[in-house]
Amino acid sequence: FKVRVLAVAVKLSHNWGVKFLGGEVGSSVAIPEVYEQLKVAGSKNTRESIGNINVVPFTLYNHKGMVHWYYELQMETLGSGYVKGASINIGQHNVAFTPSAAITLTPHKGTQNIMSRVDYVFNDPDHATHYHSGNEFVWQYGAQQEIPHHRASIGISGYFYQQTTKDRISGAEVVTRNADGTREVGYKGRALDLGPQVTFPWGKHGALIMKWDHDMLVENKSRGNAFWFQFGIPFSYLHHSSK
């Protein structure tokens, strides 16, 4: 099979300026509009819908010198427009809760950037099919170096994904039979992802980011490539008064 995915994901983040446990409290919400095309056995199916909305009611930001870190609790909603038995659906048809922690180092006055983030996803069952995907561990990482006199940074980014518990359906472990006659119990997925990244500053706090991701060491997941085009800008930039 072959899958093509095009997505526009808008994320709004806000720092409330409230002090708590030595840091500041923030919140965010991300809404992805997704188009998918699936080709399998000579047929082609397409779908467009809003995917799993990511809601972060609580983030705690901290920083000290060149060290910046935060903790947060995320919730992923159901994907919209789900049709049981359809050949293709957008997002997962289950709710998930994800505690996360991240740290960023900015040595040499910010000319270098080293990032690491850990997420652990607790998946709720799909109540339409009684399929319960296992919990998931995701480690994201990246490092960048500023290019002198070029107002840009180059580096690498990626992630390691490992499903930690087995898939179940109606309480029983999922068992699949491979083409060579062996059996797979629990359908636990794994993937390692790595690729180049280029960042262009936009104003004082904004940025334009382009990166390419390549999947490796994949088990029980689709394998492919992804191109990301990210643009971030603070709201304050939009409210500058003209003179």
Side-chain angles (χ1 to χ4, degrees):
F1 70 92
K2 185 175 183 178
V3 179
R4 283 196 175 102
V5 182
L6 299 174
V8 176
V10 177
K11 180 176 182 178
L12 303 177
S13 300
H14 182 67
N15 186 323
W16 298 101
V18 177
K19 301 291 184 179
F20 183 70
L21 296 178
E24 293 186 340
V25 177
S27 303
S28 66
V29 59
I31 305 175
E33 177 70 19
V34 184
Y35 169 85
E36 289 190 10
Q37 181 188 89
L38 170 67
K39 291 183 178 180
V40 58
S43 65
K44 181 171 71 173
N45 298 278
T46 62
R47 194 74 180 271
E48 182 177 0
S49 181
I50 293 177
N52 302 99
I53 297 175
N54 179 270
V55 180
V56 183
F58 178 83
T59 302
L60 184 62
Y61 300 100
N62 289 271
H63 69 89
K64 185 175 182 180
M66 70 173 188
V67 184
H68 309 260
W69 70 99
Y70 65 86
Y71 314 97
E72 67 183 19
L73 177 63
Q74 307 175 66
M75 183 185 77
E76 287 80 34
T77 68
L78 301 172
S80 66
Y82 175 82
V83 178
K84 184 178 179 180
S87 59
I88 185 170
N89 279 299
I90 302 296
Q92 295 179 216
H93 192 61
N94 69 277
V95 175
F97 296 92
T98 307
S100 308
I103 185 170
T104 300
L105 305 179
T106 55
H108 299 96
K109 298 182 179 180
T111 59
Q112 296 177 345
N113 184 304
I114 303 169
M115 181 276 292
S116 179
R117 173 182 168 124
V118 173
D119 298 74
Y120 193 82
V121 184
F122 294 92
N123 282 305
D124 189 59
D126 181 335
H127 296 289
T129 62
H130 306 290
Y131 195 99
H132 191 175
S133 296
N135 296 335
E136 302 158 292
F137 169 84
V138 184
W139 172 42
Q140 300 178 59
Y141 48 83
Q144 292 193 94
Q145 172 66 56
E146 184 178 294
I147 304 174
H149 313 298
H150 287 79
R151 288 187 54 78
S153 299
I154 59 172
I156 59 172
S157 66
Y159 65 85
F160 173 72
Y161 169 92
Q162 177 67 61
Q163 185 175 324
T164 58
T165 62
K166 297 176 180 178
D167 286 4
R168 295 177 177 271
I169 185 167
S170 298
E173 294 179 348
V174 173
V175 179
T176 55
R177 186 171 295 279
N178 301 319
D180 60 2
T182 59
R183 297 196 313 160
E184 176 72 29
V185 180
Y187 213 65
K188 294 168 70 174
R190 184 193 70 189
L192 176 66
D193 181 278
L194 184 65
Q197 174 174 310
V198 181
T199 302
F200 300 94
W202 184 280
K204 188 176 181 180
H205 298 293
L208 171 65
I209 302 172
M210 293 182 290
K211 58 185 180 180
W212 176 74
D213 293 335
H214 176 67
D215 292 335
M216 301 172 286
L217 304 177
V218 177
E219 288 186 359
N220 296 322
K221 286 179 64 66
S222 58
R223 177 171 58 86
N225 301 287
F227 179 73
W228 294 81
F229 180 87
Q230 298 174 311
F231 178 67
I233 188 170
F235 281 126
S236 58
Y237 184 85
L238 304 176
H239 297 289
H240 285 174
S241 59
S242 59
K243 296 183 179 179

